[in-house]
Amino acid sequence: MKNIKDVAREAGVSAGTVSKVIKGYSSISEATREKVLSAVDRLGYIPNSAASTLSSKGTKKIGIYLNINDKFQQIDEINMLYVMGALDRCRELGVENLIISDESLRSVRYEDYRSYFSSLSIDGIIVFGLNKNDEGMLKMLQDKRFKFAVIDACFIDDNISHITVDQQQAQYDVARQVVEPGDRVLYLAGKENSFIADWRQTGIERLQKEMGFDLKIVRCDFSEAKAFVAAEEFVDEYDCVVCASDLMAIGVRQACKRMGKRVRIAGFDGIRLLGYVSSSIITVKQDFYQFGYRAVDEIMALREGNPGREVLLPYEIAHIHYRSVIK
Amino acid sequence: MKNIKDVAREAGVSAGTVSKVIKGYSSISEATREKVLSAVDRLGYIPNSAASTLSSKGTKKIGIYLNINDKFQQIDEINMLYVMGALDRCRELGVENLIISDESLRSVRYEDYRSYFSSLSIDGIIVFGLNKNDEGMLKMLQDKRFKFAVIDACFIDDNISHITVDQQQAQYDVARQVVEPGDRVLYLAGKENSFIADWRQTGIERLQKEMGFDLKIVRCDFSEAKAFVAAEEFVDEYDCVVCASDLMAIGVRQACKRMGKRVRIAGFDGIRLLGYVSSSIITVKQDFYQFGYRAVDEIMALREGNPGREVLLPYEIAHIHYRSVIK
DNA sequence: CTGTTAGCGCGTTCAA
DNA sequence: TTGAACGCGCTAACAG
């Protein structure tokens, strides 16, 4: 409604001065600064963000890229927490942002990603759940014009920071808690083109080398349904099932329940759902909200000219109890 | 990167013409239209949205207002589906949008909401989970300058459409399925300032009048934890617990499990979690994704000058089974 | 049907 | 330390 000129008039200064005050430039006397601020307050002036980004040659927003992978309505707790963390941090820092789903990029050619983001005034992008076959994004990462904070996919460069937990170590740690000497172990692995799936798998393999147990690896693509089926088929022959995700662990658990079997199960992620299904599943508890939150900070750091880096967040090996998840 | 002038040059026309082609104006010959489109394609031109909204006096975005109510990380499946539905529909329609959480409005004074939304180029707002004590938003609804699609809160006006299911009827229907003649019925009601909480409650009250059963109403604020406690305290004296939300139903169910009690339970919402906890809970299944999706359409209709209206979406009385929720 | 012109609201020189 | 002037990229009104 009110624009910068209204404020200028109200404060008895020029529009340029108002702009400088608002952007916090130091070359302004305390007196006029006060005048302007009070005028802003009186008028309830709020800068027009379109004009602002246009005038300052754009590039101020952070894009929050969500790879929903699967179809329809498949966004889950983890993505949600990512997003909330990022949104909250953006708000705290007053950073504008835009959520971009893989869906919304489908209509854009890879060569045009660059202009697409530019046209949206985006200069930094937070990437959740990048896959190895996401060609468009993978190419984008090379474009030094943008800053990236990539979650759970090993890219580091001048313009790319990587935020994750030590997946291998975590998988190793949690498996160590459930596997006993002499066990026959079933490992349900994640998706083919997933960075974290592979990384986690190296964890169980390392443990296997150390302990020398029987290990069968079945790829279940992080799918609860597939894990359910795999459990039905194989669980008789194993003492212990280590899963690369909680959802798969839950699938296994449900299958066992129906079959009246009992095996030790390890999950990975620490989602609330575990508290409802079975607190007997041990898991790697991660703070996904924190991932999103930190990702924004990393983008800001890159903007300031810092080089990309790896941020390893802590995790915890734990059981999720019902009491701890209810609100 | 490339701007409209580049395209104009490439196509051998003026910038104005390019703009018209892109905005799909009809007063353009097929020949130049082709020329322009091919130039756009060759250059990978994507319009700068900031410039566009600035020039056209802004007001083209839809704000998606989320009331997270509770603290930290409390966004759940329902909100998620709302948002996904709205985002998907926006994408299909090519509508720009912005997610606004109640958190992000906290720093804005009520009087300034108007300028805040204006400055963001927002002309339509989808409101999820409005509470009776959300003064700022409530005032905003009066501002004819904006179009609103309100979910689950009874407001209709020239500029406001209301999207919901018939809460009273739904509560009535689901209760009817579990309550048997002569039952002592415990009803766990929702939050004090919630529109739907009250509306739902009238449903059970209507049924009570018809059947004449014993009815005790306890306010549990949609909280699973409070429902758990209420169940521990009262469940001995009742045959049947009707809950105004699934989460409360789950709380009751978990409490009963620990106490070794058995009562009939009805929930409300139809969240996936039910499939994990207990398919014996009957519930009102709503399609939240559809709520968000339709909300966008309603905003568009209002923009076209249609008056606000009430949209009643269908619901279903059903059990949620594990098989139907796993992926 | 197409080109020209004049801003949209703000940030950023450059002088003063 | 402040103000004037220009331009960001695009759209809308007006000519032609």
Side-chain angles (χ1 to χ4, degrees):
Chain A
M1 289 271 62
K2 305 283 180 199
N3 65 26
I4 204 166
K5 278 188 187 168
D6 296 322
V7 179
R9 199 176 315 116
E10 175 83 12
V13 298
S14 79
T17 306
V18 175
S19 175
K20 284 166 199 156
V21 170
I22 287 174
K23 303 216 72 191
Y25 283 23
S26 50
S27 64
I28 298 283
S29 74
E30 195 49 40
T32 58
R33 160 181 219 69
E34 298 270 306
K35 275 196 302 188
V36 170
L37 255 21
S38 107
V40 164
D41 201 55
R42 242 172 299 137
L43 266 42
Y45 166 70
I46 297 182
N48 178 308
S49 63
S52 167
T53 76
L54 178 58
S55 174
S56 55
K57 296 267 234 170
T59 63
K60 304 184 347 205
K61 272 186 227 159
I62 288 184
I64 300 174
Y65 176 67
L66 264 187
N67 199 325
I68 314 287
N69 302 316
D70 314 294
K71 304 222 56 87
F72 206 60
Q73 308 189 2
Q74 283 305 344
I75 187 153
D76 54 23
E77 177 188 339
I78 297 176
N79 283 313
M80 194 68 245
L81 289 174
Y82 282 155
V83 173
M84 290 313 291
L87 288 180
D88 280 1
R89 188 54 174 159
C90 281
R91 189 185 45 75
E92 287 177 10
L93 264 28
V95 175
E96 287 197 73
N97 56 73
L98 209 52
I99 295 179
I100 303 166
S101 72
D102 51 348
E103 263 301 310
S104 70
L105 279 179
R106 213 159 292 198
S107 53
V108 182
R109 296 178 306 195
Y110 296 156
E111 315 91 83
D112 297 343
Y113 273 24
R114 179 187 183 134
S115 2
Y116 181 69
F117 287 118
S118 297
S119 80
L120 258 22
S121 304
I122 285 174
D123 72 331
I125 304 167
I126 299 175
V127 182
F128 297 111
L130 185 63
N131 283 325
K132 290 182 182 174
N133 55 358
D134 190 339
E135 288 182 52
M137 261 303 155
L138 254 24
K139 272 185 197 152
M140 277 296 287
L141 291 176
Q142 329 256 46
D143 193 329
K144 306 294 188 193
R145 200 169 178 296
F146 300 98
K147 310 298 184 188
F148 291 93
V150 179
I151 313 295
D152 288 346
C154 247
F155 287 98
I156 305 182
D157 206 337
D158 279 353
N159 62 324
I160 311 177
S161 279
H162 177 207
I163 299 163
T164 190
V165 302
D166 186 334
Q167 308 279 339
Q168 182 192 89
Q169 188 62 42
Q171 184 67 88
Y172 175 95
D173 287 349
V174 74
R176 214 167 149 56
Q177 301 283 325
V178 287
V179 178
E180 292 177 3
D183 270 0
R184 294 158 303 168
V185 178
L186 178 62
Y187 182 73
L188 301 190
K191 263 215 295 266
E192 178 147 28
N193 284 308
S194 156
F195 289 94
I196 49 175
D198 292 352
W199 197 2
R200 287 178 191 174
Q201 190 171 323
T202 62
I204 188 80
E205 286 166 351
R206 175 152 71 89
L207 185 64
Q208 191 275 332
K209 263 184 213 112
E210 281 183 28
M211 295 181 60
F213 48 74
D214 274 0
L215 176 64
K216 179 184 179 67
I217 297 180
V218 178
R219 191 172 283 297
C220 286
D221 303 334
F222 292 130
S223 153
E224 185 174 355
K226 289 188 186 170
F228 190 97
V229 172
E232 281 180 323
E233 183 172 354
F234 297 115
V235 85
D236 276 334
E237 312 154 33
Y238 295 89
D239 308 294
C240 173
V241 186
V242 178
C243 304
S245 79
D246 284 341
L247 275 184
M248 293 194 290
I250 289 171
V252 171
R253 162 77 196 195
Q254 301 289 70
C256 289
K257 214 161 155 187
R258 310 228 165 170
M259 299 164 67
K261 300 279 169 197
R262 242 189 120 59
V263 292
R264 277 164 274 132
I265 305 175
F268 200 120
D269 283 337
I271 61 179
R272 297 167 44 103
L273 191 48
L274 271 186
Y276 291 88
V277 175
S278 169
S279 65
S280 74
I281 299 176
I282 194 165
T283 192
V284 176
K285 206 166 152 190
Q286 304 177 68
D287 186 348
F288 296 110
Y289 179 91
Q290 200 57 222
F291 279 59
Y293 193 93
R294 290 295 299 272
V296 175
D297 287 335
E298 288 309 308
I299 295 273
M300 300 310 278
L302 290 168
R303 273 185 181 169
E304 313 245 300
N306 299 313
R309 59 171 176 165
E310 177 158 79
V311 178
L312 279 186
L313 261 25
Y315 59 88
E316 197 185 325
I317 307 299
H319 293 269
I320 311 276
H321 295 281
Y322 178 64
R323 286 286 184 175
S324 73
V325 301
I326 72 173
K327 345 175 181 182
Chain B
M1 289 272 63
K2 305 283 182 200
N3 65 26
I4 203 166
K5 279 189 186 167
D6 296 323
V7 179
R9 198 177 314 116
E10 175 84 11
V13 297
S14 78
T17 304
V18 175
S19 174
K20 285 168 199 155
V21 170
I22 288 174
K23 303 213 70 190
Y25 284 23
S26 51
S27 64
I28 298 284
S29 75
E30 195 50 40
T32 57
R33 160 180 218 70
E34 298 269 307
K35 273 195 304 188
V36 171
L37 255 22
S38 106
V40 163
D41 201 54
R42 243 172 299 136
L43 266 42
Y45 166 70
I46 295 182
N48 179 309
S49 61
S52 168
T53 76
L54 177 58
S55 174
S56 53
K57 295 268 237 167
T59 65
K60 304 183 347 204
K61 273 186 224 157
I62 288 184
I64 299 174
Y65 176 68
L66 264 186
N67 200 325
I68 314 287
N69 302 315
D70 315 295
K71 304 226 55 91
F72 206 60
Q73 308 190 2
Q74 283 304 342
I75 187 153
D76 55 23
E77 176 188 339
I78 298 177
N79 283 312
M80 194 68 247
L81 289 174
Y82 283 154
V83 173
M84 291 314 291
L87 289 179
D88 280 1
R89 189 53 175 160
C90 282
R91 190 185 44 73
E92 287 177 12
L93 263 30
V95 175
E96 288 197 71
N97 57 267
L98 208 53
I99 295 179
I100 302 167
S101 72
D102 52 346
E103 263 301 310
S104 70
L105 279 180
R106 214 158 291 199
S107 53
V108 182
R109 294 177 308 195
Y110 296 156
E111 316 91 84
D112 297 342
Y113 273 21
R114 180 189 183 133
S115 3
Y116 181 70
F117 287 118
S118 298
S119 80
L120 259 21
S121 304
I122 285 174
D123 72 331
I125 304 167
I126 299 175
V127 182
F128 298 111
L130 186 63
N131 283 324
K132 290 182 182 174
N133 55 358
D134 191 339
E135 288 181 52
M137 262 303 156
L138 254 23
K139 273 186 198 151
M140 278 296 288
L141 292 175
Q142 328 257 45
D143 194 330
K144 306 294 188 196
R145 200 168 179 295
F146 301 97
K147 310 298 185 187
F148 290 93
V150 179
I151 313 294
D152 289 344
C154 249
F155 288 98
I156 306 182
D157 206 336
D158 280 354
N159 62 323
I160 311 178
S161 279
H162 177 208
I163 300 164
T164 190
V165 302
D166 186 335
Q167 308 279 338
Q168 182 191 91
Q169 189 61 43
Q171 185 67 87
Y172 175 94
D173 288 349
V174 73
R176 216 169 148 55
Q177 301 282 325
V178 287
V179 177
E180 292 177 4
D183 270 0
R184 295 158 301 169
V185 178
L186 178 62
Y187 181 74
L188 302 190
K191 263 215 295 266
E192 178 147 29
N193 285 307
S194 156
F195 289 94
I196 49 175
D198 293 351
W199 198 0
R200 287 179 191 172
Q201 189 170 324
T202 62
I204 188 79
E205 286 165 352
R206 175 153 68 91
L207 185 64
Q208 191 276 332
K209 264 184 211 111
E210 282 182 29
M211 295 180 61
F213 47 75
D214 274 359
L215 175 64
K216 180 185 179 67
I217 297 180
V218 178
R219 190 172 284 297
C220 286
D221 303 334
F222 292 131
S223 152
E224 185 174 356
K226 289 188 187 170
F228 190 98
V229 172
E232 281 180 323
E233 181 172 354
F234 297 116
V235 85
D236 276 334
E237 312 155 33
Y238 296 89
D239 308 294
C240 173
V241 186
V242 177
C243 304
S245 79
D246 284 341
L247 275 184
M248 291 195 290
I250 290 171
V252 171
R253 161 77 195 194
Q254 302 289 71
C256 289
K257 213 161 154 188
R258 310 229 164 166
M259 298 164 67
K261 299 280 169 198
R262 241 188 120 59
V263 292
R264 277 164 275 132
I265 306 175
F268 200 121
D269 284 336
I271 60 179
R272 297 166 43 102
L273 191 49
L274 272 187
Y276 291 89
V277 175
S278 169
S279 64
S280 74
I281 299 176
I282 193 165
T283 192
V284 176
K285 207 166 152 188
Q286 305 177 70
D287 185 348
F288 296 109
Y289 179 91
Q290 201 56 223
F291 278 59
Y293 193 94
R294 288 296 298 274
V296 175
D297 287 336
E298 288 310 308
I299 295 273
M300 301 310 277
L302 290 169
R303 273 186 181 168
E304 314 246 299
N306 299 312
R309 59 170 176 168
E310 178 158 77
V311 179
L312 279 186
L313 262 23
Y315 59 87
E316 198 185 326
I317 307 299
H319 293 270
I320 311 276
H321 295 282
Y322 178 63
R323 287 286 183 177
S324 73
V325 301
I326 72 173
K327 344 176 182 184

